[in-house]
Amino acid sequence: MNTRKLTKASYMVSGVVLLVVAVEVIARLGIAGTAWPSLVEVYEFLGDERQRSTLWRNTLVTLESSATGLVMGTIIAVLAGAVSALVPILRPGLDRFAAIVNAVPLVALAPLFITTVGREDSPAVVAAMGVGFVVFVSTTSGLANASRTHHDVLTVLGANRFRRFARLQLPQALPSIVDGLVLAAPTAVLGATIGEWFGAPSGLGMMIVSAFQSANIPQLWAVALSATAMALIAYFIFIAVQRATVRRFT
């Protein structure tokens, strides 16, 4: 087992090293033009204490919006999934509504939320929109996993629909719900960044717009790396939660 883990870790490290080398080679050879800076330039940008402080402060803003959107989207999606399981007649309508909402591009919704919920709250709402569909699909799929035989046994024992939901469907759906969160966490970061793009007073999206306007390529890449790191950290956190949930409920 230790050898297998060591092999996986070596593969991961090798992949990261190859990626870093490829990025640096492309920059040094000028293959992608001036819009592709070397990692040394990005590092020098982050070496400036003022720039680093600004990036960190805006990263925390995006993190807060992403976390808020993740919580909001998850709660709404799980509640909608629960309603579809408890009231089956509503399932087709909720499925279609979720599909229609998901079909609307977040880029089109962000300006609308800016004018309705406000510049400060719109990133979290956009993030919640991105999270909602993923978690709704995983929730409804998980709730449908309970076998008909188990339903029949609980029914014979006198359990009503709500008790079957609480004692059978929901526990079996938890691994599927966490699967959805694994995918939804990076989506929340993307949604929050898009929401900030359209006029939020702070956040990584605002920094991207500022970098475009001033042609500050190192800042643009520093922001991109920060957002990527945030999404990866969230992803690996929920991977760990997923493994624990699978061990407990399967």
Coordinates of all heavy atoms in Angstrom, one line a residue, residues 148-223:
R148 N -36.1 -0.9 -4.5 CA -37.5 -1.0 -4.3 C -37.8 -2.0 -3.2 O -38.7 -1.9 -2.4 CB -38.1 -1.6 -5.6 CG -39.6 -1.7 -5.7 CD -40.3 -0.3 -5.7 NE -40.7 0.1 -4.4 CZ -41.2 1.3 -4.1 NH1 -41.1 2.3 -5.1 NH2 -41.6 1.6 -2.9
T149 N -36.9 -3.0 -3.1 CA -37.0 -4.0 -2.0 C -36.9 -3.4 -0.6 O -37.8 -3.7 0.3 CB -36.0 -5.1 -2.1 OG1 -36.1 -5.7 -3.4 CG2 -36.1 -6.2 -1.0
H150 N -36.0 -2.5 -0.4 CA -35.8 -1.8 0.8 C -37.0 -0.9 1.1 O -37.5 -0.8 2.3 CB -34.5 -1.0 0.9 CG -33.3 -1.8 0.9 ND1 -32.1 -1.3 0.4 CD2 -33.1 -3.1 1.3 CE1 -31.2 -2.3 0.6 NE2 -31.8 -3.4 1.1
H151 N -37.5 -0.3 0.1 CA -38.7 0.5 0.3 C -39.9 -0.3 0.7 O -40.7 0.0 1.7 CB -39.1 1.2 -1.1 CG -38.4 2.5 -1.3 ND1 -38.8 3.7 -0.6 CD2 -37.4 2.9 -2.1 CE1 -38.0 4.7 -1.0 NE2 -37.2 4.2 -1.9
D152 N -40.1 -1.5 0.1 CA -41.2 -2.4 0.5 C -41.0 -2.9 1.9 O -42.0 -3.0 2.6 CB -41.2 -3.6 -0.5 CG -41.6 -3.1 -1.9 OD1 -42.2 -2.0 -2.1 OD2 -41.3 -3.9 -2.9
V153 N -39.8 -3.2 2.3 CA -39.6 -3.7 3.7 C -40.0 -2.7 4.7 O -40.7 -2.9 5.7 CB -38.1 -4.1 3.9 CG1 -37.9 -4.4 5.3 CG2 -37.8 -5.4 3.0
L154 N -39.5 -1.4 4.5 CA -39.9 -0.3 5.4 C -41.4 0.0 5.4 O -42.0 0.3 6.4 CB -39.1 0.9 5.1 CG -37.6 0.9 5.4 CD1 -36.9 2.2 5.0 CD2 -37.4 0.6 6.9
T155 N -42.0 -0.1 4.2 CA -43.4 0.1 4.1 C -44.2 -1.0 4.9 O -45.2 -0.6 5.7 CB -43.9 0.1 2.7 OG1 -43.2 1.1 1.9 CG2 -45.4 0.3 2.5
V156 N -43.8 -2.2 4.8 CA -44.4 -3.3 5.6 C -44.3 -3.1 7.1 O -45.2 -3.4 7.9 CB -43.8 -4.7 5.1 CG1 -44.3 -5.8 6.1 CG2 -44.2 -5.0 3.7
L157 N -43.1 -2.5 7.4 CA -42.9 -2.2 8.9 C -43.6 -1.0 9.4 O -43.5 -0.6 10.5 CB -41.4 -2.1 9.1 CG -40.5 -3.4 8.9 CD1 -39.1 -3.1 9.1 CD2 -41.0 -4.4 9.9
G158 N -44.3 -0.3 8.5 CA -45.1 0.8 8.9 C -44.5 2.2 8.6 O -45.1 3.2 9.1
A159 N -43.4 2.2 7.9 CA -42.8 3.5 7.7 C -43.5 4.3 6.6 O -43.8 3.7 5.5 CB -41.3 3.3 7.3
N160 N -43.8 5.6 6.8 CA -44.5 6.4 5.8 C -43.4 6.9 4.8 O -42.2 6.6 5.0 CB -45.3 7.5 6.4 CG -44.5 8.4 7.3 OD1 -43.2 8.5 7.2 ND2 -45.1 9.0 8.2
R161 N -43.8 7.7 3.9 CA -42.9 8.2 2.9 C -41.8 9.1 3.5 O -40.6 9.0 3.1 CB -43.6 9.0 1.8 CG -42.7 9.6 0.7 CD -43.6 10.3 -0.4 NE -44.3 9.2 -1.1 CZ -45.3 9.5 -2.0 NH1 -45.6 10.8 -2.3 NH2 -45.9 8.6 -2.6
F162 N -42.1 9.9 4.5 CA -41.1 10.8 5.1 C -40.1 9.9 5.9 O -38.9 10.2 5.8 CB -41.8 11.8 6.1 CG -40.8 12.7 6.7 CD1 -40.3 13.8 6.0 CD2 -40.4 12.4 8.0 CE1 -39.4 14.6 6.6 CE2 -39.5 13.3 8.6 CZ -38.9 14.4 7.9
R163 N -40.5 8.9 6.6 CA -39.6 8.1 7.3 C -38.7 7.3 6.4 O -37.5 7.1 6.7 CB -40.3 7.1 8.3 CG -40.9 7.8 9.5 CD -41.5 6.8 10.4 NE -42.0 7.5 11.7 CZ -42.6 6.9 12.7 NH1 -42.8 5.6 12.6 NH2 -43.0 7.6 13.7
R164 N -39.2 6.8 5.3 CA -38.4 6.1 4.3 C -37.4 7.0 3.7 O -36.2 6.6 3.5 CB -39.3 5.5 3.2 CG -40.2 4.4 3.6 CD -40.7 3.6 2.4 NE -41.3 4.4 1.4 CZ -42.6 4.8 1.3 NH1 -43.4 4.3 2.3 NH2 -43.1 5.5 0.3
F165 N -37.7 8.3 3.5 CA -36.8 9.3 3.0 C -35.7 9.5 4.0 O -34.5 9.5 3.7 CB -37.5 10.6 2.7 CG -36.6 11.7 2.4 CD1 -36.1 11.9 1.1 CD2 -36.2 12.7 3.4 CE1 -35.2 12.9 0.8 CE2 -35.4 13.7 3.1 CZ -34.9 13.8 1.8
A166 N -36.0 9.7 5.3 CA -35.0 10.0 6.3 C -34.1 8.9 6.7 O -32.9 9.1 6.9 CB -35.8 10.5 7.6
R167 N -34.7 7.6 6.7 CA -33.9 6.5 7.2 C -33.3 5.7 6.0 O -32.4 4.9 6.3 CB -34.8 5.6 8.0 CG -35.3 6.3 9.3 CD -36.1 5.4 10.2 NE -36.5 6.1 11.4 CZ -37.1 5.5 12.4 NH1 -37.4 4.2 12.4 NH2 -37.5 6.2 13.5
L168 N -33.8 5.8 4.8 CA -33.3 5.0 3.7 C -32.7 5.8 2.6 O -31.5 5.7 2.3 CB -34.4 4.1 3.2 CG -34.1 3.3 1.9 CD1 -33.0 2.3 2.2 CD2 -35.4 2.6 1.4
Q169 N -33.5 6.7 2.0 CA -33.0 7.4 0.8 C -31.9 8.4 1.1 O -30.9 8.5 0.4 CB -34.2 8.2 0.2 CG -35.2 7.2 -0.5 CD -36.4 8.0 -1.0 OE1 -37.3 8.4 -0.3 NE2 -36.4 8.3 -2.3
L170 N -32.1 9.2 2.2 CA -31.1 10.3 2.5 C -29.7 9.7 2.8 O -28.7 10.2 2.3 CB -31.6 11.2 3.6 CG -30.7 12.4 3.9 CD1 -30.5 13.3 2.6 CD2 -31.4 13.3 5.0
P171 N -29.7 8.7 3.7 CA -28.3 8.1 4.0 C -27.7 7.5 2.8 O -26.4 7.7 2.6 CB -28.6 7.1 5.1 CG -29.9 7.5 5.7 CD -30.7 8.2 4.6
Q172 N -28.4 6.9 2.0 CA -27.8 6.3 0.8 C -27.4 7.3 -0.3 O -26.6 7.1 -1.1 CB -28.8 5.3 0.1 CG -29.0 4.0 0.9 CD -29.6 2.9 0.1 OE1 -29.9 3.0 -1.0 NE2 -29.7 1.7 0.8
A173 N -28.1 8.5 -0.2 CA -27.8 9.6 -1.2 C -26.6 10.4 -0.8 O -26.1 11.1 -1.6 CB -29.0 10.5 -1.3
L174 N -26.1 10.3 0.5 CA -25.1 11.2 0.9 C -23.8 11.1 0.1 O -23.2 12.1 -0.3 CB -24.8 10.9 2.4 CG -25.8 11.5 3.4 CD1 -25.4 11.2 4.8 CD2 -25.9 13.0 3.2
P175 N -23.3 9.8 -0.2 CA -22.1 9.8 -1.1 C -22.3 10.4 -2.4 O -21.4 11.1 -3.0 CB -21.9 8.2 -1.3 CG -22.5 7.6 0.0 CD -23.8 8.5 0.2
S176 N -23.5 10.3 -3.0 CA -23.8 10.9 -4.3 C -23.8 12.5 -4.2 O -23.3 13.2 -5.0 CB -25.1 10.5 -4.9 OG -25.4 11.1 -6.1
I177 N -24.4 13.0 -3.1 CA -24.4 14.4 -2.8 C -23.0 14.9 -2.7 O -22.6 16.0 -3.3 CB -25.2 14.7 -1.6 CG1 -26.7 14.4 -1.8 CG2 -25.1 16.2 -1.2 CD1 -27.6 14.5 -0.6
V178 N -22.1 14.2 -2.0 CA -20.7 14.7 -1.8 C -20.0 14.6 -3.2 O -19.2 15.5 -3.5 CB -20.0 13.9 -0.8 CG1 -18.6 14.3 -0.7 CG2 -20.7 14.0 0.6
D179 N -20.3 13.6 -4.0 CA -19.8 13.6 -5.4 C -20.1 14.9 -6.1 O -19.3 15.4 -6.8 CB -20.4 12.4 -6.1 CG -19.7 11.1 -5.7 OD1 -18.7 11.1 -5.1 OD2 -20.3 10.0 -6.0
G180 N -21.3 15.3 -6.0 CA -21.7 16.6 -6.6 C -20.9 17.7 -6.1 O -20.5 18.6 -6.8
L181 N -20.7 17.7 -4.8 CA -19.9 18.8 -4.2 C -18.5 18.9 -4.6 O -17.9 19.9 -4.7 CB -19.9 18.7 -2.6 CG -21.3 19.0 -2.0 CD1 -21.2 18.7 -0.5 CD2 -21.7 20.5 -2.2
V182 N -17.9 17.7 -4.9 CA -16.5 17.6 -5.5 C -16.5 18.4 -6.8 O -15.5 19.2 -7.0 CB -16.1 16.2 -5.7 CG1 -14.8 16.1 -6.5 CG2 -16.0 15.4 -4.4
L183 N -17.5 18.3 -7.6 CA -17.5 19.1 -8.9 C -18.0 20.5 -8.7 O -17.6 21.4 -9.4 CB -18.5 18.4 -9.9 CG -18.1 16.9 -10.2 CD1 -19.2 16.3 -11.2 CD2 -16.7 16.9 -10.9
A184 N -18.9 20.7 -7.7 CA -19.5 22.0 -7.5 C -18.5 23.0 -6.9 O -18.6 24.2 -7.1 CB -20.7 21.9 -6.6
A185 N -17.6 22.6 -6.0 CA -16.6 23.5 -5.4 C -15.8 24.3 -6.3 O -15.8 25.5 -6.2 CB -15.7 22.7 -4.4
P186 N -15.2 23.7 -7.3 CA -14.5 24.5 -8.3 C -15.4 25.4 -9.1 O -15.1 26.5 -9.5 CB -13.8 23.5 -9.2 CG -13.7 22.3 -8.4 CD -14.9 22.3 -7.6
T187 N -16.6 24.9 -9.4 CA -17.6 25.7 -10.1 C -18.0 27.0 -9.3 O -18.3 28.0 -9.9 CB -18.9 24.9 -10.3 OG1 -18.5 23.7 -11.1 CG2 -19.9 25.7 -11.1
A188 N -18.0 26.9 -8.0 CA -18.3 28.0 -7.1 C -17.3 29.1 -7.3 O -17.6 30.3 -7.4 CB -18.4 27.6 -5.7
V189 N -16.0 28.7 -7.4 CA -14.9 29.7 -7.6 C -15.1 30.4 -8.9 O -15.0 31.6 -9.1 CB -13.6 29.0 -7.5 CG1 -12.4 30.0 -7.8 CG2 -13.4 28.4 -6.1
L190 N -15.4 29.6 -10.0 CA -15.6 30.2 -11.3 C -16.8 31.1 -11.3 O -16.7 32.2 -11.8 CB -15.8 29.0 -12.3 CG -16.2 29.5 -13.7 CD1 -15.1 30.3 -14.4 CD2 -16.6 28.3 -14.6
G191 N -17.9 30.7 -10.7 CA -19.1 31.6 -10.6 C -18.8 32.9 -9.9 O -19.3 33.9 -10.4
A192 N -18.2 32.8 -8.8 CA -17.9 34.0 -8.0 C -17.0 34.9 -8.8 O -17.2 36.2 -8.8 CB -17.2 33.7 -6.7
T193 N -16.0 34.4 -9.5 CA -15.1 35.2 -10.3 C -15.8 35.9 -11.5 O -15.6 37.1 -11.8 CB -13.9 34.4 -10.9 OG1 -13.3 33.7 -9.8 CG2 -12.9 35.2 -11.6
I194 N -16.7 35.1 -12.1 CA -17.6 35.7 -13.2 C -18.5 36.8 -12.6 O -18.6 37.9 -13.2 CB -18.4 34.6 -13.9 CG1 -17.5 33.7 -14.7 CG2 -19.4 35.3 -14.8 CD1 -18.2 32.5 -15.3
G195 N -19.0 36.6 -11.5 CA -19.9 37.6 -10.8 C -19.2 38.9 -10.5 O -19.7 40.0 -10.6
E196 N -17.9 38.7 -10.1 CA -17.1 39.9 -9.8 C -16.6 40.7 -11.1 O -16.3 41.9 -11.0 CB -15.8 39.5 -9.0 CG -16.1 38.9 -7.6 CD -15.0 38.2 -7.0 OE1 -14.0 37.9 -7.8 OE2 -15.1 37.8 -5.8
W197 N -16.6 39.9 -12.2 CA -16.1 40.5 -13.4 C -17.0 41.7 -13.9 O -16.5 42.6 -14.5 CB -16.2 39.4 -14.5 CG -15.7 39.8 -15.9 CD1 -16.4 40.6 -16.7 CD2 -14.5 39.4 -16.6 NE1 -15.7 40.7 -17.9 CE2 -14.6 39.9 -17.8 CE3 -13.5 38.5 -16.2 CZ2 -13.5 39.7 -18.8 CZ3 -12.5 38.3 -17.1 CH2 -12.5 38.9 -18.4
F198 N -18.3 41.6 -13.5 CA -19.2 42.6 -14.1 C -19.5 43.8 -13.1 O -20.6 44.3 -13.1 CB -20.5 41.9 -14.5 CG -20.4 41.0 -15.7 CD1 -20.1 39.7 -15.5 CD2 -20.5 41.6 -16.9 CE1 -20.0 38.9 -16.6 CE2 -20.4 40.8 -18.1 CZ -20.1 39.4 -17.9
G199 N -18.6 44.1 -12.3 CA -18.8 45.4 -11.5 C -18.7 45.2 -10.0 O -19.0 46.2 -9.3
A200 N -18.2 44.1 -9.5 CA -18.1 44.0 -8.1 C -16.9 44.9 -7.6 O -16.0 45.1 -8.4 CB -17.8 42.5 -7.7
P201 N -17.0 45.4 -6.4 CA -16.0 46.4 -6.0 C -14.7 45.7 -5.6 O -13.7 46.4 -5.5 CB -16.7 47.0 -4.7 CG -17.6 45.9 -4.2 CD -18.1 45.3 -5.4
S202 N -14.6 44.4 -5.5 CA -13.4 43.8 -5.1 C -13.5 42.3 -5.5 O -14.5 41.8 -5.9 CB -13.1 43.9 -3.6 OG -14.1 43.4 -2.9
G203 N -12.4 41.6 -5.4 CA -12.3 40.2 -5.8 C -11.4 39.9 -7.0 O -10.9 40.8 -7.6
L204 N -11.2 38.6 -7.2 CA -10.3 38.3 -8.3 C -10.8 38.7 -9.7 O -10.1 39.0 -10.6 CB -10.0 36.8 -8.3 CG -9.3 36.2 -7.1 CD1 -9.1 34.7 -7.2 CD2 -7.9 36.9 -6.9
G205 N -12.2 38.6 -9.8 CA -12.8 39.0 -11.1 C -12.5 40.5 -11.4 O -12.2 40.9 -12.6
M206 N -12.6 41.3 -10.4 CA -12.3 42.7 -10.5 C -10.8 42.9 -10.9 O -10.5 43.8 -11.8 CB -12.6 43.5 -9.2 CG -12.3 45.0 -9.3 SD -10.6 45.4 -8.9 CE -10.5 44.9 -7.2
M207 N -9.9 42.1 -10.3 CA -8.5 42.2 -10.7 C -8.2 41.8 -12.1 O -7.3 42.3 -12.7 CB -7.7 41.4 -9.7 CG -7.6 42.0 -8.3 SD -6.3 41.1 -7.3 CE -4.8 41.7 -8.1
I208 N -9.0 40.8 -12.6 CA -8.8 40.4 -14.0 C -9.1 41.5 -14.9 O -8.4 41.8 -15.9 CB -9.7 39.2 -14.3 CG1 -9.1 37.9 -13.5 CG2 -9.7 38.9 -15.8 CD1 -10.0 36.7 -13.6
V209 N -10.3 42.2 -14.6 CA -10.7 43.3 -15.5 C -9.6 44.4 -15.4 O -9.2 45.0 -16.4 CB -12.0 43.9 -15.0 CG1 -12.4 45.2 -15.8 CG2 -13.1 42.8 -15.2
S210 N -9.1 44.7 -14.2 CA -8.1 45.7 -14.1 C -6.8 45.4 -14.8 O -6.2 46.2 -15.5 CB -7.7 45.9 -12.6 OG -6.7 46.8 -12.4
A211 N -6.4 44.1 -14.8 CA -5.2 43.6 -15.5 C -5.4 43.8 -17.0 O -4.5 44.2 -17.8 CB -4.9 42.2 -15.2
F212 N -6.6 43.5 -17.5 CA -6.9 43.7 -19.0 C -6.8 45.1 -19.4 O -6.2 45.4 -20.4 CB -8.3 43.2 -19.3 CG -8.4 41.7 -19.7 CD1 -9.3 40.9 -19.0 CD2 -7.5 41.2 -20.6 CE1 -9.3 39.5 -19.4 CE2 -7.6 39.9 -21.0 CZ -8.5 39.0 -20.4
Q213 N -7.4 46.0 -18.6 CA -7.4 47.4 -18.9 C -6.0 48.0 -18.9 O -5.7 48.9 -19.7 CB -8.3 48.1 -18.0 CG -9.8 47.8 -18.1 CD -10.7 48.4 -17.1 OE1 -10.2 48.9 -16.1 NE2 -12.0 48.4 -17.3
S214 N -5.2 47.5 -18.0 CA -3.8 48.1 -17.9 C -2.8 47.3 -18.6 O -1.6 47.6 -18.6 CB -3.4 48.3 -16.4 OG -3.4 47.0 -15.8
A215 N -3.2 46.2 -19.3 CA -2.3 45.3 -20.0 C -1.2 44.7 -19.1 O 0.0 44.6 -19.4 CB -1.7 45.9 -21.2
N216 N -1.6 44.5 -17.8 CA -0.7 43.9 -16.8 C -0.7 42.4 -16.9 O -1.5 41.8 -16.1 CB -1.1 44.5 -15.4 CG 0.0 44.2 -14.4 OD1 0.8 43.3 -14.6 ND2 0.0 45.0 -13.3
I217 N 0.1 41.8 -17.7 CA 0.0 40.4 -18.0 C 0.5 39.6 -16.7 O -0.2 38.6 -16.4 CB 0.9 40.0 -19.2 CG1 0.4 40.7 -20.4 CG2 0.9 38.5 -19.4 CD1 -1.0 40.5 -20.8
P218 N 1.6 40.0 -16.0 CA 1.9 39.2 -14.8 C 0.8 39.2 -13.8 O 0.6 38.2 -13.1 CB 3.1 40.0 -14.3 CG 3.8 40.5 -15.5 CD 2.6 41.0 -16.4
Q219 N 0.1 40.3 -13.6 CA -1.0 40.4 -12.7 C -2.1 39.4 -13.1 O -2.7 38.7 -12.3 CB -1.6 41.8 -12.6 CG -2.9 41.9 -11.7 CD -3.4 43.3 -11.5 OE1 -2.6 44.2 -11.3 NE2 -4.7 43.4 -11.7
L220 N -2.4 39.4 -14.4 CA -3.4 38.5 -14.9 C -3.1 37.1 -14.6 O -4.0 36.3 -14.2 CB -3.6 38.7 -16.5 CG -4.7 37.9 -17.2 CD1 -6.0 38.3 -16.7 CD2 -4.6 38.1 -18.7
W221 N -1.9 36.7 -14.8 CA -1.5 35.3 -14.6 C -1.5 35.0 -13.1 O -1.8 33.9 -12.6 CB -0.1 35.0 -15.2 CG -0.3 34.7 -16.7 CD1 -0.5 35.5 -17.7 CD2 -0.3 33.4 -17.3 NE1 -0.6 34.9 -18.9 CE2 -0.5 33.5 -18.6 CE3 -0.1 32.1 -16.7 CZ2 -0.5 32.5 -19.5 CZ3 -0.1 31.0 -17.6 CH2 -0.3 31.2 -19.0
A222 N -1.1 36.0 -12.3 CA -1.0 35.8 -10.8 C -2.5 35.5 -10.3 O -2.7 34.6 -9.4 CB -0.4 37.0 -10.1
V223 N -3.4 36.3 -10.8 CA -4.8 36.1 -10.4 C -5.3 34.7 -10.9 O -6.0 34.0 -10.1 CB -5.7 37.2 -11.0 CG1 -7.2 36.9 -10.8 CG2 -5.3 38.6 -10.4

